[in-house]
Amino acid sequence: MARYAIRLEELTKDYPIGFWRSRPVRALDHVSLDVEPGEVLGYLGPNGAGKTTTLKLLMQLVYPTSGRAEILGRPAGDVEAKRRLGYLPELPYFYDNLTAEELLVYFGGLFGLAPAVARTRASILLDRVGLGAERRRRLRHYSKGMLQRVGIAQALVNDPEVVFLDEPMSGLDPVGRRDTRELIRSLRDEGRTVFFSSHILSDAEALCTRVAIMVQGRLVSTGRLADLAFEVQGWELVVSGGDGGALASLGLDAVTTAVDGRYVVELPVDRPPDQVLPELSRLHVQVVSLTPRHESLEDYFMRLVARRQAPAA
Amino acid sequence: MTERSTQWWQRPVWFTAAMVLLVAVFVSTAVMRDRVYAATDPETELLYIPSGPVLARMALSFDALLADVYWIRALQHYGGTKRGDSEARSYELLGPLLEITTTLDPHFNAAYRFGAIFLTEAYPNGPGRPDLAVALLEKGIEQMPDRWEYYMDIGFIYYWWVKDYGRAAEWFDKAADVPGASWWLRSLAANTLAAGGSRQSSRMLWREMYDSADTDWIRNEAARRLTQLDALDDIDQLIAASGRFVERAGRPPSSWDELVGASLLVGIPLDPTGRPYVMDSVNGTINVASDSSLFPLPGETLPPLPQ
Amino acid sequence: MSVIPRIAAQVFKESVRDKVLYNLVLFAVLLIAASYLIGQLTAGQDVKIIKDLGLAATQIFGLFIAVFIGIGLVSKEVERRSIYSLLSKPVRRHELILGKYAGLVLTLAVNVGVMAVALYAVLGYMSWVETEEFRRSWEAPATDPAMLAAIVLIFVQLMLVTAIALFFSTFSSPMLSAVLTFGLYVVGHFNADLRNFESVVESPAAVSLARVLYYALPNLAPFDVKAQVVHAQPVSLGYVALTSAYAAAYIGALLLAAVFIFSKRDFK
């Protein structure tokens, strides 16, 4: 048993740009990172930070310029490692003329599964991603979100120990995002290692044991999300029981009415909840939920970059 | 430092070695094939024949199929012209079409044999070009020297159309020399030399042709020729009858009715196809009607009516 | 190792799904219609013409399948990015190439096989309705087993063309691959002319270049024995074996190069 599920060592990738005189562009710059078995790692960063490049290097879809990537103690691209991993590419695309079930049976076959076994597993997985009813439809008729779900199902067809998901939430509606979050949570509960990338911070919240934050091809910080210094930019408060007038008397103007008598209140930074909550209980308004709104990853990176440049200046 | 899952062929040495080996194998098989089988390569001969070869190359190995297309065009050209209006019947494309057909497919049996028949047929039923027909058959002999029918067909053309009986006998002999040729060719050659052009030897020729025909088309053609010979016999009889009328009346007959009236004929004489014979009292000849399928009668110039 | 047959089977399934085998219906209709029409037209040569037509159609139909599916086998996977998930499965890149190749060859084998059966059936029927005497006038029997030599060489040639198409598609776009493959096909039928180049030009450099090209470029003319077979000229087993050996080595070289190039590619 390898010590690490995933290990990146000084992983670097240059892409040649231009046709005649190739001027290399560094997509990934000496990234080192270890992921332990059973961890759920959020690989976060804005678009173009090198997240997809890292995943392609792990799948050996591209070759590193220098450094190495290992999965389960084996070099990237090793067939024995591939037997034990699953991979959802970014904006996945499969074969138009196949049905979801046929795709999973084909891919199952590549793992040596007998057709009957593969079919059983396909129907379990398609139920799990909510496509049970659509499994006999050709993929050409699938929406983006449905393809995303098929992509997750095919990544699990071999019951993998390590699952790589590249932007699993992109292109999904709110229900899809919730389902995907649930799915990742269940993968974690099953003891699998999950490595997923996202450019949206909130995707990582409540899911990840750890996050790694990438900016411009470099790993800028890793750690538990709570330990990272994200600035709180306000809170989202959901209440019920009061009426609009009562809330207005508190001087809270950013109020929207939600269904079944609930209200969503945006609390700015200068009205922290510990000030507001006592007043609410005075007005017999029940608090349904309270969520801090963090700064976006972009803002965080801007701040990091500014802070890094400041001493040098 | 990069680690790749290395297969043997990803190492430059092994890749190069394997590539060199494979290239060596396919080059040496190509050399061997060219040495051993070059003689049977049908395309090498084609290179030196004008006009058709360009097409053969353009056809990218579909030349046999293209030959079929040209053969069908030749048939359509011949048949269409023959059936067309008697004015402006021109068979000038027939020769080139057959030439292209046989160049594209040098073993196209029908194109040689039927083509030669079409070419020799006298105007207006054909272009009347025995010279082209002989050239076409000689091309066929070059490709397939063991086809005795081609030699016989040439002898035939000399016999029937050119009336060079010495040449005809020579070709019948050549045909008889080919292994597997029909036994009667030798006697046909002797007969031609002795009595070429006589109706009796012609009849023998067509009779043999009829009996040995391997297609209906040739058999029908031979039957038509034999019928024409019968018509010539009829015309001899009719001329004899006219001669007797001249003896009695002191003048040539002007119509069949006069001969019937003189009890020299029992009725209007009909040719073997059922069309009445035509007496041309102005020119003084007897012939088959021009709308008879036997028209025009071959070879022998018709004897003049006695005056 | 069992990955290659699975990929091959998938290629075959997809070609069935894409209605590639419908060309067989077209082929049958063509043969039957032609045998009826040509029987009306030409004097005693209908069996020859059906043979010519059947063999040529087997080759043309196969050629189009080999080229148009061959060029898409790999490049479509790359272009549509389906290769990302495929290569994350326990598939080595050379297994992908070989599996795709085997799959298309299997498709072609089924196609050519069915066409051969159909051709023999039509010819058998034509022979059956003719008189014994008429049959004797044919150069070769209608259902001449020697036609198999031509069919085998057509199939081997298609295998070679498939390898060419696959080779190009590992590094160029489908459009360019199609142009290059058809280009090589045409050159392959003309390049016998390169062998006799010294009789046409003086320059020894040009002659040696022509020689090199003659041996380096695929020589497809020798695979064409349709005319010989139709005219009952012998095609020896040795010839078929030697020509097939040539194809095997050439295909080997093409696949080796394809695998080498493909294994080095970054799928950006």
Side-chain angles (χ1 to χ4, degrees), chain A residues 159-221:
Chain A
D159 193 15
E161 291 167 45
V162 188
V163 184
F164 297 86
L165 307 168
D166 197 354
E167 297 279 1
M169 315 285 189
S170 77
L172 293 182
D173 56 21
V175 179
R177 300 174 87 87
R178 192 200 59 210
D179 289 352
T180 307
R181 261 197 297 271
E182 284 308 310
L183 191 97
I184 293 173
R185 200 169 288 139
S186 67
L187 294 176
R188 182 191 62 192
D189 296 344
E190 289 161 9
R192 304 181 210 268
T193 311
V194 180
F195 184 107
F196 81 91
S197 77
S198 178
H199 65 283
I200 298 165
L201 187 58
S202 60
D203 287 346
E205 287 172 332
L207 271 184
C208 300
T209 49
R210 206 153 62 100
V211 294
I213 294 179
M214 296 287 297
V215 59
Q216 287 170 348
R218 270 187 279 248
L219 181 64
V220 289
S221 55

Side-chain angles (χ1 to χ4, degrees), chain A residues 69 93 238:
Chain A
Y93 183 90
V238 180

